[in-house]
Amino acid sequence: MSGKGTAPGRGALYGVLGAWFGLTVVGQKLYRDQRKQTIWDKLYLVIPDWRFFAPNPGIHDHHLLMRDQLADGSLTAFREIGGVQERTLLHAVWHPHRRAEKTVFDSVAELLRYVGQHGEGLNGPDPSLQLSVPYLTLLSYVTSREHHPDAVRTQFLIAVSGGYEEEDEPTMVFLSELHAVGAAAKGRAS
Amino acid sequence: MALTRTRTVIDRAEQDRALRRVEALTGLGAAVSSLEYLASSKDFDRGELLSWDTARTRYRWMTGRLEKALGTVFDKPGVQVLFGARVLAAATLMNSAATERAKTAAATYLAGTNFAVHARSPYGSDGSETVLTISLTTLTLSKLFANDPKARQACLWFIAAQSCLSYGIAGVAKLISPVWRDGSAVRDIFRTRMFGHRLAFSALRDRPRVARALGQATIAGEMLFPLVLVAPKPVARALLGVGASFHAGNAVFMGLNRFVWAFLGTYPAIVYCSRALGRGSGRG
């Protein structure tokens, strides 16, 4: 496309950039329901969402907790995994841990949106939930953590809190099924 | 009445300078992003949050015939090679002594892998990487039109327009929000550990007037920013200064470090397109 004879190529370029910009304008649904996924969310690779923290920003921290069920049927206490680092001045230039923090944040948001869209139903959650990417992401992460030596199954819990506003009591928003771990999982797979 | 056409003469040197500055700052943004991925590449291990085993379940085509080939690139160690090469490409883009051919290859690789990495998994990403995708793709296009100043001008305008649109939309989206207008959004964002700051929250929690002033200043600043394209020189300069300070503040208090380079990378294009700051504005 380079060189002297550029007019047709230039026309195509104008078309591509114009269409991209036009779609970006149209895709900015200011009142988009954040609980529902739309076609614009599926176009995230090319159509940006420029609303940044608006109109309703996230005002809660998400917490991922897990517990094990032991061979005798008892349950261990919940413990939090994958927490957020306390803000330091270094984060203004170098913040590699943010990627993992944001992954928990994004997958929890997507999971809750999935539950909101597909409903819990009378007989528990939609069975497709356990095959969804956010559920698999969190489950895979949880099952790969260190477990109680006698654990046969594990479970994760999502809670939200007011972060530094400690008077705002944490609330449980999602509890997963119990899933086999360790030897129990291997026995099932074989 | 005779129809007269004004022929606009494009200053190639000024255009090249603007594109080189976009390249350098965007390259720095791509370098920081890629180095952060490499520093946390444990997250790509099996059973970790960004493992290929679960990421590939997002699209059917990722687990089909292409699965093996994609795994070579998107699973460890291939994904580390991908990001290592991104660091080299970003360094090439920042290097003023690099040849145009090398820079074209670097920009193409960075743009292509930006799309690929986000197709692999959108998790952990943010708006700064969307800005990088736009800038890098447009830089690649500008290099395909190396001898066409009008096409390159369109590329600079596209980067500037997307950047100004992003500020404008963010401002309008906050203006229609009661929680932004009354400042509670600012206080409540800062209360989170994810995007907030302990000291900032303790300063704001019992000062609703300060929170409201910050919320309204953010709305006004973001909505006014696009005026940089038409405002007189002192106002245009002030708007760019406010924009840069806003990103620096967000980096310190919200941990949004990557936004600084991604957005500053669009500023040379904005300066070039600004009526008062660019395109020969100093010449009478």
Side-chain angles (χ1 to χ4, degrees):
Chain A
M1 279 186 271
S2 59
K4 287 176 184 172
T6 51
R10 190 197 301 148
L13 177 75
Y14 288 173
V16 168
L17 296 182
W20 194 355
F21 188 77
L23 282 171
T24 307
V25 174
V26 175
Q28 307 302 313
K29 302 278 187 195
L30 293 178
Y31 292 98
R32 185 184 333 185
D33 186 347
Q34 286 171 329
R35 293 164 302 176
K36 288 186 179 169
Q37 199 178 40
T38 68
I39 184 73
W40 298 106
D41 296 305
K42 291 180 183 168
L43 292 173
Y44 68 91
L45 275 179
V46 281
I47 307 298
D49 180 353
W50 290 140
R51 296 173 304 163
F52 296 132
F53 297 92
N56 297 305
I59 58 169
H60 293 99
D61 277 324
H62 294 160
H63 303 269
L64 180 62
L65 300 98
M66 60 175 279
R67 69 178 175 184
D68 292 330
Q69 186 179 50
L70 309 185
D72 64 4
S74 62
L75 293 161
T76 62
F78 277 112
R79 65 185 168 97
E80 185 171 1
I81 51 173
V84 175
Q85 282 182 347
E86 184 74 22
R87 183 82 57 247
T88 69
L89 206 51
L90 182 64
H91 290 164
V93 288
W94 180 247
H95 202 175
H97 190 255
R98 167 51 62 93
R99 205 69 75 176
E101 295 170 0
K102 185 75 178 4
T103 299
V104 171
F105 182 89
D106 291 341
S107 45
V108 165
E110 193 180 353
L111 183 72
L112 297 180
R113 200 163 54 220
Y114 195 98
V115 172
Q117 274 190 288
H118 296 261
E120 290 263 1
L122 289 172
N123 302 317
D126 187 319
S128 68
L129 176 71
Q130 292 186 27
L131 298 174
S132 68
V133 181
Y135 193 98
L136 289 173
T137 300
L138 297 173
L139 179 62
S140 166
Y141 182 59
V142 166
T143 49
S144 301
R145 299 308 94 193
E146 196 175 324
H147 293 276
H148 190 284
D150 298 329
V152 288
R153 298 202 292 174
T154 194
Q155 182 176 41
F156 66 87
L157 167 73
I158 296 167
V160 294
S161 79
Y164 295 121
E165 192 160 30
E166 284 159 7
E167 300 82 356
D168 191 345
E169 285 286 318
T171 311
M172 173 186 130
V173 291
F174 181 83
L175 183 64
S176 80
E177 295 289 306
L178 283 156
H179 295 273
V181 287
K186 281 177 192 157
R188 244 183 170 191
S190 60
Chain B
M1 199 170 84
L3 213 77
T4 55
R5 288 184 72 187
T6 309
R7 192 177 164 83
T8 311
V9 178
I10 297 174
D11 182 338
R12 296 286 303 268
E14 189 183 2
Q15 189 178 68
D16 289 347
R17 204 161 39 243
L19 283 165
R20 274 201 307 274
R21 287 175 181 163
V22 173
E23 277 172 10
L25 288 164
T26 302
L28 182 54
V32 170
S33 164
S34 304
L35 285 167
E36 286 188 348
Y37 264 119
L38 284 175
S40 55
S41 56
K42 185 178 170 294
D43 295 337
F44 293 119
D45 285 342
R46 186 162 293 189
E48 296 298 326
L49 288 163
L50 290 172
S51 89
W52 173 236
D53 268 358
T54 44
R56 69 183 173 174
T57 61
R58 183 168 293 275
Y59 300 111
R60 199 170 292 230
W61 58 268
M62 284 184 168
T63 51
R65 276 182 298 175
L66 289 172
E67 184 174 345
K68 200 172 175 187
L70 289 174
T72 313
V73 183
F74 285 154
D75 203 355
K76 267 178 132 176
V79 74
Q80 290 166 297
V81 175
L82 182 151
F83 283 110
R86 274 179 63 88
V87 175
L88 291 178
T92 305
L93 215 52
M94 285 187 280
N95 179 6
S96 58
T99 64
E100 270 311 299
R101 186 175 283 193
K103 283 191 172 191
T104 303
T108 309
Y109 178 73
L110 286 169
T113 49
N114 240 44
F115 282 111
V117 165
H118 292 96
R120 179 194 186 278
S121 175
Y123 292 160
S125 181
D126 58 31
S128 72
E129 292 181 346
T130 315
V131 177
L132 284 185
T133 300
I134 287 170
S135 297
L136 290 166
T137 307
T138 314
L139 281 173
T140 303
L141 290 171
S142 77
K143 294 196 173 295
L144 296 178
F145 290 88
N147 296 321
D148 185 343
K150 284 187 180 172
R152 285 158 75 80
Q153 183 144 308
C155 291
L156 283 163
W157 265 103
F158 181 71
I159 293 172
Q162 281 281 13
S163 184
C164 288
L165 179 71
S166 76
Y167 286 104
I169 292 289
V172 173
K174 290 178 179 73
L175 180 70
I176 61 169
S177 166
V179 293
W180 270 98
R181 290 197 304 271
D182 73 12
S184 55
V186 176
R187 186 201 62 202
D188 290 344
I189 290 170
F190 279 121
R191 79 175 188 162
T192 67
R193 289 168 197 268
M194 182 72 192
F195 293 111
H197 194 283
R198 185 186 291 276
L199 285 178
F201 175 62
S202 66
L204 289 171
R205 67 177 301 167
D206 298 320
R207 294 183 179 86
R209 280 186 190 177
V210 178
R212 190 169 64 217
L214 270 176
Q216 294 182 356
T218 307
I219 293 170
E222 289 186 330
M223 285 183 65
L224 291 174
F225 188 87
L227 293 178
V228 69
L229 294 174
V230 291
K233 195 176 272 187
V235 178
R237 281 185 175 157
L239 285 169
L240 287 177
V242 168
S245 309
F246 175 67
H247 291 298
N250 289 346
V252 172
F253 292 106
M254 299 179 74
L256 298 175
N257 62 321
R258 294 194 303 267
F259 280 76
V260 176
W261 307 117
F263 273 96
L264 289 192
T266 67
Y267 282 19
I270 293 172
V271 168
Y272 178 82
C273 297
S274 156
R275 196 169 61 87
L277 302 176
R279 287 180 297 146
S281 58
R283 295 191 297 271

